[in-house]
């Protein structure tokens, strides 16, 4: 015997001794061995072997399993530890013994059942598992949805010029099933197939080696007892199926005074209520506006990958009211400020006063002042949104919480004072934007000094908000590269809205320019113009 053949014989003897128990519960090592075993099979198979397995064997095995599930034959086979003949099973399942013999022999050849003697069959771990609703539901799903879709997929692609499918209402599934309904709409109107699919999704989550609560510490959702008493609900699981993820959270956190809400289509939540009575279920279509506002977190697991990009964005868009209320307000204020600034620039703000028609000066300056006020509030709301985000994500201590919200309060007060100053700098107020109105105005130095103070405060706030995440992230147990990346991302978000907005609080500088030298006029005119143009971009 050659040395290579001897190695093959010894390897086969070693493989005979290998089973799941050999890995002593190490799931990762077992999966690595399984992957190598599959690679080994691909090396040992000839093209003919592979074709036979793909075309003849596997479709027949799937059909045989589905047939025995319909007959209840696995329950008959699994009800004790003894072996059974096809005749024994036939008497309990009302089926032909000869048919059962053919089906069981096929399944024995693929180790779904075990043939312990001629025409005598016994259960295996797989045949026991096939009795569970999730496993059985997988074969209902296979024959009801996967097979029709995959069978007609080549024709669908051919008729659509081999373009990547991107229409959720007119895709391969609709073509294969001959329906205009989406997959989930179809499940809602077919209770048996819907229940089977939900059971399949449940067992998929059960088989995951790592629950999401082991990845993201659920205690981060609770800052302290006061927060627990104040926030309801705690988590909204959007498209949460029958509630497996929220059940994991409930067991890990046991939030007695808080609501855990699972949202899905009515036919799904009906099934979930029966399984998890401690969790609140709500019928909701995530293509409509999120009805629950102010939850500590909105959770999605295996949702967005089911939809093309436009539909995924629509799902997220419908969540934004609950998630990003202050951020959306800030964006709206920014857009409003940009619009008013643009209009004031078109009217002449930024140009030398002599280049502006006299009749346009009052309206241009007034629009600039109004736009400045709006931009102040946009900046303030943005800072409040950042403070809220830091509070929710990083669970700050009481001292850090006081620092974060103290800065937000001081900055808000500064904004209010700045707006008041804009409209009280002159007596009467109209004199601030209309040079034709004679009045008494403060010295420009008042605004310069206040702007320096307000800008310094904003810079300190940005520095604190940008560096605080890095301080917290540095304590996490993760690779240094990931720490740096996360810290940079959070810092970029905090610094995105620059403090220069407060520097532009004196649009009436255009009027004061006439009191300076021609050279100073030209220089400051360009500075003011650039300021306005930069602000208008936002």
């Amino acid at each position: 015997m050659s040395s290579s053949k001897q190695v093959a014989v010894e390897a086969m003897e070693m493989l005979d001794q290998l089973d799941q128990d050999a890995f002593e519960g190490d799931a990762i090592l077992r999966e690595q061995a399984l992957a190598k075993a599959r690679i080994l099979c691909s090396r040992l198979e000839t093209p003919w072997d592979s074709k036979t397995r793909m075309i003849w064997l596997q479709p027949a095995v799937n059909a045989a399993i589905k047939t025995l599930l319909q007959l209840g034959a696995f329950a008959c086979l699994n009800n004790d530890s003894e072996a059974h003949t096809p005749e024994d099973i036939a008497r309990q399942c009302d089926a032909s013994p000869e048919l059962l013999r053919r089906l069981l022999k096929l399944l024995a050849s693929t180790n779904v059942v075990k043939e312990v003697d001629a025409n005598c069959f016994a259960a295996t771990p797989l045949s026991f598992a096939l009795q569970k609703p999730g496993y059985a539901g997988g074969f209902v799903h296979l024959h009801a949805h996967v097979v029709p879709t995959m069978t007609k997929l080549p024709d669908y692609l051919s008729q659509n010029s081999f373009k990547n499918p991107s229409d959720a209402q007119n895709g391969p599934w609709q073509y294969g099933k001959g329906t205009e309904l989406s997959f989930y709409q179809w499940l809602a109107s077919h209770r048996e197939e819907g229940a089977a699919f939900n059971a399949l999704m449940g067992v998929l989550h059960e088989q995951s080696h790592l629950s999401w609560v082991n990845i993201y510490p659920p205690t981060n959702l609770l800052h302290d007892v006061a927060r627990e008493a104040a926030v309801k609900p705690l988590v909204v699981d959007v498209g949460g199926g029958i509630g497996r993820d929220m059940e994991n959270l409930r067991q890990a956190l046991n939030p007695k005074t808080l609501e855990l809400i699972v949202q899905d289509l009515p036919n799904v939540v009906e099934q979930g209520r029966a399984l998890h009575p401690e969790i609140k279920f709500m019928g909701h279509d995530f293509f409509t506006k999120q009805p629950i506002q102010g939850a500590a977190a909105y959770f999605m697991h295996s949702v967005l990958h089911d939809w093309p990009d436009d539909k995924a964005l629509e799902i997220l868009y419908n969540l934004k009211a609950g998630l990003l209320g202050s951020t959306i307000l800030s964006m709206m204020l920014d857009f409003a400020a940009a619009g008013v600034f643009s209009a004031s620039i078109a009217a002449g703000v930024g140009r030398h006063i002599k280049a502006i028609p006299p009749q346009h000066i009052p309206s241009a300056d007034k629009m600039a002042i109004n736009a400045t006020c709006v931009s102040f509030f946009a900046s303030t709301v943005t800072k409040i949104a950042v403070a809220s985000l830091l509070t929710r994500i990083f669970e700050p201590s009481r001292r850090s919480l006081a620092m974060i919200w103290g800065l937000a309060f001081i900055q808000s007060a500064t904004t209010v004072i700045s707006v008041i100053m804009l409209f009280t700098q002159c007596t009467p107020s109209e004199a601030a934007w209309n040079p034709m109105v004679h009045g008494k105005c403060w010295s420009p130095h008042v605004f310069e000094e206040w702007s320096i103070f307000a800008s310094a405060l904003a810079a300190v706030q940005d520095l604190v908000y940008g560096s605080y995440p890095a301080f917290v992230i540095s304590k996490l147990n993760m690779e240094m590269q990931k720490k740096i990346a996360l810290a940079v991302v959070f810092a970029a978000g905090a610094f995105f809205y620059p403090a220069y907005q407060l520097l532009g609080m004196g649009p009436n500088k255009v009027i004061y320019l006439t009191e300076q030298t021609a050279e100073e006029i030209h220089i400051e005119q360009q500075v003011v113009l650039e300021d306005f143009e930069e602000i208008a971009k936002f």
Side-chain angles (χ1 to χ4, degrees), residues 11-26:
M12 290 171 61
E13 292 174 352
M14 293 180 62
L15 289 173
D16 284 339
Q17 303 173 20
L18 197 61
D19 59 14
Q20 294 184 26
D21 295 335
F23 299 96
E24 300 179 353
D26 190 333

Side-chain angles (χ1 to χ4, degrees), residues 120-187:
C120 199
F121 302 91
T124 66
L126 177 53
S127 69
F128 274 109
L130 288 171
Q131 281 188 265
K132 297 180 180 179
Y135 286 83
F139 284 90
V140 173
H141 175 65
L142 170 69
H143 286 271
H145 309 295
V146 177
V147 171
T149 302
M150 295 299 108
T151 299
K152 294 188 176 182
L153 177 61
D155 293 338
Y156 169 85
L157 295 175
S158 177
Q159 291 187 16
N160 288 273
S161 303
F162 295 100
K163 294 179 181 178
N164 184 48
S166 59
D167 189 345
Q169 293 297 130
N170 183 27
W173 186 83
Q174 284 85 358
Y175 184 82
K177 293 291 290 185
T179 180
E180 295 181 355
L181 299 176
S182 72
F183 174 70
Y184 294 101
Q185 289 172 333
W186 196 91
L187 289 181

Side-chain angles (χ1 to χ4, degrees), residues 20-142:
Q20 294 184 26
D21 295 335
F23 299 96
E24 300 179 353
D26 190 333
I28 295 177
L29 182 61
R30 183 191 66 81
E31 289 185 352
Q32 290 174 344
L34 187 59
K36 288 186 176 295
R38 291 185 176 125
I39 294 173
L40 177 61
C41 287
S42 68
R43 290 196 197 127
L44 297 179
E45 279 187 341
T46 66
W48 178 264
D49 294 332
S50 300
K51 183 271 302 178
T52 301
R53 174 175 51 81
M54 295 175 182
I55 298 176
W56 290 335
L57 181 59
Q58 197 57 56
V61 169
N62 292 337
I65 292 175
K66 179 66 163 54
T67 302
L68 294 182
L69 285 171
Q70 287 179 309
L71 289 171
F74 287 116
C76 301
L77 187 66
N78 298 336
N79 63 4
D80 54 45
S81 58
E82 296 181 1
H84 297 268
T85 65
E87 288 75 16
D88 295 335
I89 299 173
R91 282 192 291 270
Q92 301 179 60
C93 298
D94 191 23
S96 162
E98 185 59 32
L99 172 64
L100 288 173
R101 181 178 294 107
R102 295 178 66 184
L103 296 176
L104 289 169
K105 280 187 173 291
L106 171 63
L107 297 185
S109 71
T110 54
N111 303 305
V112 178
V113 299
K114 184 188 299 182
E115 189 171 11
V116 296
D117 203 350
N119 294 320
C120 199
F121 302 91
T124 66
L126 177 53
S127 69
F128 274 109
L130 288 171
Q131 281 188 265
K132 297 180 180 179
Y135 286 83
F139 284 90
V140 173
H141 175 65
L142 170 69

Side-chain angles (χ1 to χ4, degrees), residues 74-328:
F74 287 116
C76 301
L77 187 66
N78 298 336
N79 63 4
D80 54 45
S81 58
E82 296 181 1
H84 297 268
T85 65
E87 288 75 16
D88 295 335
I89 299 173
R91 282 192 291 270
Q92 301 179 60
C93 298
D94 191 23
S96 162
E98 185 59 32
L99 172 64
L100 288 173
R101 181 178 294 107
R102 295 178 66 184
L103 296 176
L104 289 169
K105 280 187 173 291
L106 171 63
L107 297 185
S109 71
T110 54
N111 303 305
V112 178
V113 299
K114 184 188 299 182
E115 189 171 11
V116 296
D117 203 350
N119 294 320
C120 199
F121 302 91
T124 66
L126 177 53
S127 69
F128 274 109
L130 288 171
Q131 281 188 265
K132 297 180 180 179
Y135 286 83
F139 284 90
V140 173
H141 175 65
L142 170 69
H143 286 271
H145 309 295
V146 177
V147 171
T149 302
M150 295 299 108
T151 299
K152 294 188 176 182
L153 177 61
D155 293 338
Y156 169 85
L157 295 175
S158 177
Q159 291 187 16
N160 288 273
S161 303
F162 295 100
K163 294 179 181 178
N164 184 48
S166 59
D167 189 345
Q169 293 297 130
N170 183 27
W173 186 83
Q174 284 85 358
Y175 184 82
K177 293 291 290 185
T179 180
E180 295 181 355
L181 299 176
S182 72
F183 174 70
Y184 294 101
Q185 289 172 333
W186 196 91
L187 289 181
S189 60
H190 294 75
R191 295 179 63 88
E192 180 182 352
E193 288 85 351
F197 178 77
N198 293 334
L200 171 61
M201 293 297 101
V203 80
L204 283 177
H205 291 177
E206 288 177 0
Q207 292 302 307
S208 174
H209 300 314
L210 197 61
S211 170
W212 75 276
V213 298
N214 300 122
I215 301 172
Y216 179 85
T219 52
N220 286 358
L221 296 170
L222 296 175
H223 293 169
D224 47 35
V225 176
R227 176 175 176 80
E228 182 172 349
V231 178
K232 283 193 175 185
L234 178 63
V235 179
V236 177
D237 187 355
V238 182
I242 57 177
R244 171 59 57 182
D245 283 319
M246 288 303 97
E247 175 62 19
N248 289 339
L249 177 60
R250 188 191 68 80
Q251 294 179 8
L253 200 57
N254 192 24
K256 297 179 181 179
T257 63
L258 294 167
E259 288 183 337
L260 302 178
I261 297 179
V262 175
Q263 296 177 335
D264 215 303
L265 296 176
N267 62 301
V268 179
V269 299
E270 180 182 345
Q271 188 176 352
R273 286 192 186 101
L275 296 173
H276 308 296
E278 301 88 353
I279 298 172
K280 181 177 179 180
F281 285 82
M282 173 186 295
H284 172 61
D285 181 353
F286 47 51
F287 288 112
T288 61
K289 184 179 179 181
Q290 173 57 238
I292 302 297
Q293 302 294 308
Y298 294 83
F299 179 89
M300 283 190 288
H301 184 177
S302 300
V303 172
L304 297 180
H305 77 285
D306 283 336
W307 301 94
D309 290 350
D310 60 331
K311 290 295 183 181
L313 288 173
E314 186 177 344
I315 293 170
L316 295 175
Y317 177 85
N318 286 313
L319 272 180
K320 73 176 184 180
L323 278 170
L324 306 171
S326 56
T327 303
I328 297 303

